[in-house]
Every structure is written in C-alpha cells, then in structure tokens.
C-alpha cells in the first residue's frame, strides 16, 4: 500500500468506529486528510484494534516519521559530559526514552490536533500507547500524582520507551511546592528510567506552556535536578534537554554555558 492508501484505509476504519460521523466526506487534499486522521486518532477512546488495522497504522506512522527525518543521539554533540541540548521534534528523536508531559488521567490529549507534546507523542506512537496507559491507570485505580512517573513502550516512535510524568500546574504566583513537584518529575523519570536499563533520556520542558510554569525557572530546576541526580548516584545516563521554542533554546544555552 502507498501512504495515501494507508491513510485512507485508516480514516475509513476510524470513521466506521464513530457512528456520529457516518457519511462524512473524506477530503481529497493530502494535508486535510492528515489533519482528519490525526483528529480521529486523538478522539479515539482506548480500546484494542484488529491486527490488520495495527499493521497498516504502524507502517503509516513509521513512514511519516521517516519522512520527517529522524535525529539519532549518536549524531548530537554533548554540551557537557553526558548532557545534550537539542532543538527539534521529540517524536523524531532516536534515543532510549523520551519524556511526555502528561495530564493526571495519563491517557493523552483528546483535543483534535492540539499543539501540546502529549498530543504529538500519542499521535505518532499510535493507538497502542493510549491503551497501554489506560491499562496502567486501571491497575492503579486512581489518577496519577503530580511529580511521579510511569513508563510504557514507545510503539511507533524511534525511541524505545516513553516516560509519562505529570508536572505542576501554576495558577498564580510560583510556590515552593510548585518547584519541589517539578524537581520530583525529573527525579522520578531518571529513577524509573534506570530501573528499566535506559541509557539515554530526552526531557521536554515539563510544565511550561499549557501548565504555565515560568520557562527560565523550569529550566533552572531541570538542569539542577539532573546534575544533582547524576552526581549523587554516580549515574552515567545520558540526558538530552529537548526544546522546541527559540525562547527555551536561549534559556538553556545561557544556563548550560553554550552561548
């Protein structure tokens, strides 16, 4: 099957699952089709799918990521021993694990085509990720605590694992508790990663953006917590600070002394 054939197959299969969309006309434009497919992935509740669907989906998503261009950790240069700074799409990064800024339900973002990292990771990992998260949460029996972490396979992403952590939501002046919880997110991810033999981990800018944690203070906490953990445990885990916005790139460059 071509990418177009795969995309149309997936759209039709997902529309068939949603009776309210019966009779919806599928656009002919490629970008409109991609947006519709992503929307349908985003709103799909966690449940199994047929092996045929998964085979087509996996082939489609892996080809989409290949076309975006995969960045391998081996091609990056450290800014400090074992520490990297990289600006780009975390869903196209090949390392052992990436970190997802999740919400307390841990099921991904249900808003069609939303710009958050949670949406992107769940979209390009495939529907298996939401189901895996739902199974974790069902066993836990309650929403995820802020500052903790969970680990799942990465499915169709170039990395091996996704670590999901819920950062603090800042609704007013930044508090000592907010800062302690954000530091806990980084420590929890590092500890859980090493328990699973992870040798390299890419952190997104947890709690910034939608959760309103001030960017510079978040970066300070991220770097300090990682450095303290590596020193305290004598860990050799390689850490990539992944940024997407120019603002965060400038902040991390300044804090890491790479200007």
């Amino acid at each position: 099957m071509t990418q177009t054939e795969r995309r149309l197959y997936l759209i039709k299969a997902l529309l068939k699952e949603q009776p309210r969309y019966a009779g919806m006309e599928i656009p002919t434009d490629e970008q409109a089709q991609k947006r519709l497919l992503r929307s349908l992935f985003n709103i799909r509740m966690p449940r199994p799918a047929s092996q045929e669907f998964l085979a087509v989906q996996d082939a489609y998503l892996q080809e989409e990521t290949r076309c975006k261009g995969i960045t391998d950790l081996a091609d990056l240069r450290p800014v400090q021993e074992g520490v990297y700074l990289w600006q780009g799409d975390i869903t196209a990064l090949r390392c052992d694990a990436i970190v997802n800024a999740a919400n307390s339900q841990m099921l991904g973002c249900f808003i069609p085509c939303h710009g958050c990292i949670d949406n992107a990771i769940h979209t390009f990992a495939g529907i298996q990720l939401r189901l895996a998260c739902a199974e974790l949460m069902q066993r836990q029996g309650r929403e995820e605590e802020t500052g903790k972490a969970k680990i799942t396979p990465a499915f169709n992403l170039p990395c091996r694992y996704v670590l999901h952590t819920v950062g603090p939501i800042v609704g007013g002046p930044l508090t000592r508790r907010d800062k302690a919880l954000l530091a806990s997110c980084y420590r929890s991810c590092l500890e859980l990663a090493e328990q699973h033999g992870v040798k390299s981990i890419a952190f997104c800018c947890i709690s910034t953006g939608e959760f309103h944690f001030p960017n510079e203070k978040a970066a300070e906490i991220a770097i300090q917590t990682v450095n303290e953990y590596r020193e305290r445990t004598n860990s050799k885990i390689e850490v990539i600070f992944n940024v997407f916005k120019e603002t965060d790139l400038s902040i991390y460059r300044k804090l890491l002394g790479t200007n």
Side-chain angles (χ1 to χ4, degrees):
M1 296 174 77
T2 66
Q3 277 299 83
T4 299
E5 289 169 340
R6 291 177 183 131
R7 185 167 55 248
L8 289 172
Y9 169 92
L10 295 170
I11 289 172
K12 290 173 183 176
L14 291 169
L15 285 174
K16 192 174 181 180
E17 290 183 344
Q18 302 277 353
R20 57 183 165 158
Y21 297 131
M24 174 182 281
E25 187 173 339
I26 299 173
T28 56
D29 177 72
E30 179 180 337
Q31 291 307 313
Q33 286 181 5
K34 287 184 176 184
R35 187 173 179 82
L36 174 58
L37 178 56
R38 180 166 181 163
S39 298
L40 291 168
F41 280 146
N42 295 159
I43 66 172
R44 187 181 190 271
M45 297 302 291
R47 58 176 176 267
S50 70
Q51 288 303 308
E52 180 183 10
F53 179 94
L54 293 177
V56 175
Q57 176 214 241
D58 294 355
Y60 178 80
L61 291 175
Q62 290 169 28
E63 178 62 13
E64 287 295 290
T65 298
R66 189 193 68 78
C67 290
K68 284 193 297 187
I70 295 171
T71 297
D72 199 299
L73 172 60
D75 297 327
L76 302 181
R77 295 177 62 182
V79 294
Q80 297 174 6
E81 184 180 354
V83 176
Y84 301 77
L85 174 61
W86 179 67
Q87 182 183 29
D89 178 357
I90 201 168
T91 67
L93 180 62
R94 181 178 285 126
C95 59
D96 274 3
I98 64 172
V99 173
N100 178 29
N103 56 50
S104 60
Q105 288 183 313
M106 292 279 288
L107 296 180
C109 173
F110 283 86
I111 302 172
C113 298
H114 192 252
C116 69
I117 194 167
D118 198 15
N119 187 293
I121 287 173
H122 274 265
T123 296
F124 291 100
I127 63 170
Q128 299 98 314
L129 182 56
R130 180 166 283 168
L131 182 58
C133 288
E135 290 170 349
L136 281 176
M137 298 309 290
Q138 187 174 24
R139 288 197 294 271
Q140 180 164 284
R142 54 178 168 76
E143 291 193 349
E144 183 71 352
E145 292 179 49
T146 303
K148 304 297 185 182
K150 291 282 188 292
I151 190 168
T152 64
F155 299 102
N156 291 293
L157 297 171
C159 56
R160 294 171 55 211
Y161 298 104
V162 178
L163 286 118
H164 309 261
T165 189
V166 182
I169 300 172
V170 179
L174 193 65
T175 66
R176 182 179 298 177
R177 176 171 169 77
D178 292 329
K179 291 183 276 189
L181 286 170
L182 184 60
S184 179
C185 288
Y186 285 89
R187 278 194 304 273
S188 295
C189 286
L190 289 164
E191 290 167 359
L192 186 58
E194 294 216 278
Q195 289 169 20
H196 286 78
V198 168
K199 304 299 183 186
S200 58
I201 181 172
F203 284 102
C204 62
C205 300
I206 302 166
S207 272
T208 60
E210 297 290 323
F211 283 13
H212 307 297
F213 206 106
N215 295 57
E216 185 150 4
K217 179 54 68 175
E220 290 174 6
I221 292 168
I223 293 169
Q224 180 181 349
T225 305
V226 165
N227 287 342
E228 287 177 352
Y229 175 86
R230 283 163 53 88
E231 184 176 345
R232 175 173 56 83
T233 64
N234 198 29
S235 172
K236 301 302 181 186
I237 191 170
E238 295 187 291
V239 174
I240 307 107
F241 292 112
N242 165 246
V243 299
F244 193 73
K245 298 177 181 177
E246 288 292 331
T247 302
D248 291 312
L249 180 63
S250 297
I251 290 169
Y252 273 90
R253 276 179 170 166
K254 181 181 72 173
L255 293 174
L256 292 169
T258 64
N259 279 347

